[in-house]
Amino acid sequence: MSGVMTGARPAPEVLAWSRDLVRPALRAAVETLPGSVREIAGYHFGWLDEQGRPAAAGGGKAIRPALVLLAAEAAGGRAADAVPGAVAVELVHNFSLLHDDVMDGDATRRHRPTAWRVFGVSHAILAGDALLTLAFEVLADSGHPGMRDAARGLAGAVLDLVEGQGADTSFETREEVGLEECVRMAERKTGALLGGACALGALLGGGDAGRVERLRAFGDRLGLAFQFVDDLLGIWGDPTVTGKPTHSDLRNRKKSLPVVAALSSGTPAGHDLAALYRGEHELDAADLTRAATLIEAAGARSWSRTRVDELFHEALTHLSSADPASRPAAELHALAHLIAHRDH
């Protein structure tokens, strides 16, 4: 699992392979949607511009579909058999993005105006609903003998995601949020879908129950690491890379993992950050810079980075315990490294 094993592809090549394999089926599925939501979905995915004309905007890395395909191979199956699962997971992920952008009031995604800014809040929400429904239709139409278990597993991941998103939203109106409950929120909001993606791939690849659960645990730990990195990028990320403004999470007074770690640190910097977050005035550029400095001074940035490293190694332990096929195991290792080091 060194990642240099003969035949193992580097992460960028794996992601390109995954996109090439999944994109035709994804586009074919989206084409079956009613016209009103099909245009919004096409815009959100980067296939169309605001007027519905063909476009070539970036559609994201598509990490989750790659995890589905590689997990299927790791379990001894074929990636081709897991394509419906990869499409379904990508549809669920983008359902959540469409809704998240509305709930968070985010104005940009992938360097373009978000769908709700272009088409309106109601239409963006409905497009997200359509993608979620379509995900289960894709699984149902796959004809795979494990379809019932696949649908049940994906539904469980969606319910966890919704519960996590609900907790995240409730944190915004609460003055105090415990670090443990913030971590549990992130496990549901992000970890559950990455874990579900790996479990779904292993199931469609013919893996037994034990292997499915060990690959789920790999994805779950990796998903929590993903959220930690995402939260670090939400404060210190380069806008040219993230597609969002500098300090975007702080501007919204979001109680992300580093923020809650700082607020609960008991340090002078943490107390100052709490006072800043409690204020009712809109945070200006100076406030945002100060908030980021206080989070770092409270030790929350370094703590978050340490947790990412720990979760990365926990994920690899679960991957090894699944006794995966060697080449997909090395490629899953490479993807895990990419996820855990996106902020480097």
Side-chain angles (χ1 to χ4, degrees):
M1 270 184 27
S2 65
V4 295
M5 186 178 301
T6 301
R9 299 162 294 184
E13 189 176 330
V14 168
L15 291 172
W17 160 78
S18 172
R19 287 192 295 269
D20 287 345
L21 194 56
V22 171
R23 188 185 294 114
L26 178 63
R27 294 194 71 153
V30 170
E31 282 296 318
T32 67
L33 291 173
S36 58
V37 290
R38 184 172 65 242
E39 182 177 344
I40 301 171
Y43 173 82
H44 172 76
F45 279 112
W47 306 331
L48 303 175
D49 66 12
E50 297 180 19
Q51 283 75 44
R53 298 171 302 203
K61 291 186 176 68
I63 287 172
R64 290 159 188 81
L67 290 174
V68 175
L69 301 179
L70 289 179
E73 292 186 332
R78 300 188 314 146
D81 293 334
V83 167
V87 170
V89 166
E90 186 68 351
L91 289 168
V92 166
H93 174 54
N94 282 278
F95 135 76
S96 74
L97 294 183
L98 281 162
H99 285 200
D100 283 357
D101 286 342
V102 170
M103 289 185 283
D104 294 343
D106 286 338
T108 60
R109 177 173 292 281
R110 299 165 186 156
H111 311 286
R112 298 202 303 171
T114 45
W116 71 267
R117 289 285 305 277
V118 176
F119 300 98
V121 168
S122 297
H123 291 294
I125 291 172
L126 291 172
D129 294 342
L131 294 187
L132 178 60
T133 304
L134 185 59
F136 289 94
E137 187 172 339
V138 167
L139 283 182
D141 288 345
S142 69
H144 194 285
M147 183 273 293
R148 183 185 296 272
D149 289 337
R152 185 179 293 113
L154 185 59
V158 171
L159 291 176
D160 280 341
L161 185 159
V162 169
E163 184 179 8
Q165 184 61 50
D168 192 24
T169 302
S170 73
F171 290 173
E172 295 175 14
T173 57
R174 287 171 47 187
E175 279 199 13
E176 293 189 11
V177 175
L179 186 54
E180 287 188 10
E181 64 177 328
C182 189
V183 171
R184 286 198 301 273
M185 174 276 293
E187 286 174 335
R188 295 185 177 100
K189 177 183 173 183
T190 307
L193 188 56
L194 266 72
C198 293
L200 182 57
L203 178 66
L204 296 177
D208 60 28
R211 183 173 269 177
V212 168
E213 287 311 308
R214 285 187 283 272
L215 284 167
R216 182 195 304 278
F218 161 74
D220 177 79
R221 295 294 85 191
L222 191 58
L224 184 52
F226 187 104
Q227 188 60 56
F228 266 101
V229 176
D230 217 41
D231 287 353
L232 289 167
L233 290 171
I235 300 173
W236 293 284
D238 181 349
T240 62
V241 176
T242 65
K244 294 186 177 184
T246 304
H247 302 147
S248 59
D249 283 356
L250 301 181
R251 191 180 306 276
N252 299 329
R253 287 184 169 86
K254 194 171 183 66
K255 292 185 177 71
S256 62
L257 287 159
V259 169
V260 174
L263 291 172
S264 59
S265 66
T267 62
H271 293 313
D272 290 346
L273 179 67
L276 190 61
Y277 255 53
R278 281 196 300 267
E280 295 184 1
H281 66 286
E282 184 174 342
L283 300 179
D284 60 23
D287 291 327
L288 296 173
T289 299
R290 180 165 179 260
T293 300
L294 290 171
I295 293 167
E296 188 157 14
R301 186 178 188 177
S302 61
W303 173 80
S304 297
R305 188 63 248 174
T306 297
R307 283 299 292 136
V308 171
D309 292 339
E310 292 169 348
L311 289 162
F312 172 67
H313 291 294
E314 289 173 21
L316 295 184
T317 298
H318 287 299
L319 178 59
S320 295
S321 73
D323 190 26
S326 59
R327 194 265 304 156
E331 293 174 354
L332 284 168
H333 185 294
L335 272 189
H337 187 274
L338 175 69
I339 288 170
H341 295 85
R342 287 178 298 142
D343 60 328
H344 284 20

